Amino acid sequence: MAAAAAVRHRTVEANGISMHVAEAGPGSGTAPAVLFVHGFPELWYSWRHQMGHLAARGYRCVAPDLRGYGGTTAPPEHTSYTIFHLVGDLVALLDALELPQVFVVGHDWGAIVSWNLCLLRPDRVRALVNLSVAFMPRRPAEKPLDYFRGAYGDDYYVCRFQEPGVEKELASLDLKRFFKLALIVQTTGSSAMSIKKMRANNREVTLPPWLSEEDISYVASVYAKTGFAGGINYYRCFDLNWELMAPWTGAKVLVPTKFIVGDGDLAYHLPGVKSYIHKGRLKKDVPMLEEVVVIKGAGHFIQQERAQEISDHIYNYIKKFNTGVSSPKSSRL
């Protein structure tokens, strides 16, 4: 794990749980901080490249394992994974680290949590860079699971994840092979994250240049200890979150934002998502959206697949917010 060599690890008590936190760059003081929020099935480790890139440019990088993942507490009940728990964890973490305001970078479920952090506590976020998953405004007439079932049927992984015992099915797979298949996936629709298809797939998996056997071994070794229940519980809260977020129907995300997605990303191909992003509705819900970047040929795990490109996008965006970090050329918002 050469890319993670400069990373420091510690445990932080926040919001009633113990959070494993990886950090890089300045440990305290006046350096601006960047909070990295990972998705499923990931860990803090997904941000190793961006942490190194930004730490070298004077930013304090903070990447927790989220509730239910890695070295962080994993409550057994799915009702302990609502969006209020997840956002509350991040706010409490920032309080524990004495960070009144941070830049936020999210991916996948981490993007969902980050959108909601900005919706609920915009005062804690200087600017947002979200990857892969666009803002999902609450639709009063349709619950999320009804949307997914209508689009792809009951075999779609989001629907399958509602079933008791599916976490044991995942844990019973050859984990190295699972992560190889999961991280390079570019299929969409009902084939995405299909346990049945993964079991039936006997072909040899050739890793792309951006993913090493060492990377796979690290993530697989952590999940071998923790299992998948924590991450799957996020999906089991989709409809519960829909109920709880009723007071925020129509609320807007009022934080300066950049959104990046790969054109091969399964989340980009969900019904209605492209038109939502490109025909003005995302901008309506996120009025301070400054830029949308679609990266050709890129899949879902874009911060690893296009590590340098994503690192540059993040840095070039957040450096515009004059924060005392030296850069070759300063610019204003």
Side-chain angles (χ1 to χ4, degrees):
M1 293 195 302
V7 173
R8 306 179 299 274
H9 297 269
R10 62 164 152 162
T11 299
V12 176
E13 301 300 318
N15 200 26
I17 63 172
S18 298
M19 299 189 75
H20 166 241
V21 180
E23 293 184 84
S28 58
T30 59
V34 184
L35 176 67
F36 292 95
V37 192
H38 71 78
F40 176 88
E42 298 179 272
L43 301 163
W44 74 269
Y45 189 75
S46 298
W47 300 111
R48 60 197 179 280
H49 304 295
Q50 288 71 40
M51 292 175 73
H53 187 86
L54 291 174
R57 286 156 179 77
Y59 289 85
R60 180 181 179 183
C61 299
V62 178
D65 283 338
L66 297 186
R67 173 182 292 244
Y69 287 91
T72 294
T73 301
E77 309 84 4
H78 83 274
T79 52
S80 294
Y81 293 81
T82 72
I83 201 65
F84 293 122
H85 290 90
L86 306 177
V87 170
D89 291 345
L90 296 184
V91 172
L93 175 63
L94 297 183
D95 288 346
L97 298 179
E98 298 182 344
L99 294 171
Q101 195 173 60
V102 293
F103 295 105
V104 175
V105 182
H107 172 255
D108 186 78
W109 257 104
I112 296 173
V113 176
S114 297
W115 288 121
N116 282 279
L117 171 64
C118 293
L119 189 68
L120 300 173
R121 291 300 304 271
D123 58 306
R124 304 306 295 265
V125 184
R126 184 70 185 90
L128 171 69
V129 180
N130 253 349
L131 313 179
S132 295
V133 178
F135 181 65
M136 296 187 290
R138 184 180 183 276
R139 303 174 183 180
E142 185 179 40
K143 292 183 178 182
L145 291 180
D146 291 337
Y147 163 78
F148 288 118
R149 286 195 181 97
Y152 297 127
D154 288 335
D155 282 339
Y156 188 54
Y157 78 98
V158 173
C159 303
R160 286 276 283 117
F161 281 3
Q162 308 305 312
E163 300 172 12
V166 70
E167 55 267 52
K168 293 181 180 177
E169 278 190 68
L170 278 177
S172 71
L173 296 173
D174 176 335
L175 291 186
K176 287 187 180 181
R177 183 173 181 77
F178 166 79
F179 282 106
K180 287 178 181 180
L181 290 170
L183 293 178
I184 65 174
V185 66
Q186 288 213 6
T187 56
T188 59
S190 59
S191 293
M193 290 286 289
S194 167
I195 300 173
K196 186 188 301 182
K197 286 184 168 60
M198 285 183 173
R199 283 195 187 280
N201 188 336
N202 294 318
R203 67 179 174 83
E204 185 177 346
V205 183
T206 302
L207 289 180
W210 54 269
L211 194 61
S212 71
E213 290 286 350
E214 192 177 20
D215 296 330
I216 293 293
S217 293
Y218 175 75
V219 177
S221 70
V222 174
Y223 274 84
K225 296 174 184 174
T226 66
F228 291 83
I232 287 174
N233 279 333
Y234 285 52
Y235 293 89
R236 290 172 175 161
C237 280
F238 259 132
D239 280 359
L240 178 56
N241 287 332
W242 179 87
E243 295 175 10
L244 294 172
M245 291 297 292
W248 286 270
T249 301
K252 300 186 185 305
V253 175
L254 299 175
V255 169
T257 301
K258 179 173 185 172
F259 179 67
I260 307 170
V261 65
D263 70 355
D265 192 324
L266 58 92
Y268 187 54
H269 293 274
L270 286 168
V273 167
K274 285 184 185 179
S275 62
Y276 174 72
I277 293 172
H278 298 297
K279 293 187 177 179
R281 284 182 290 155
L282 176 59
K283 175 69 173 177
K284 184 178 178 182
D285 290 331
V286 188
M288 300 174 77
L289 177 70
E290 297 188 47
E291 193 176 354
V292 172
V293 178
V294 180
I295 298 182
K296 291 185 177 180
H300 182 64
F301 296 94
I302 196 168
Q303 76 272 45
Q304 299 181 71
E305 181 183 346
R306 300 292 181 89
Q308 186 62 50
E309 193 172 352
I310 295 301
S311 296
D312 287 338
H313 272 300
I314 295 168
Y315 174 65
N316 289 333
Y317 183 62
I318 67 176
K319 76 178 183 181
K320 299 193 308 176
F321 301 84
N322 295 320
T323 55
V325 175
S326 60
S327 61
K329 184 186 291 185
S330 61
S331 61
R332 60 186 177 83
L333 180 62

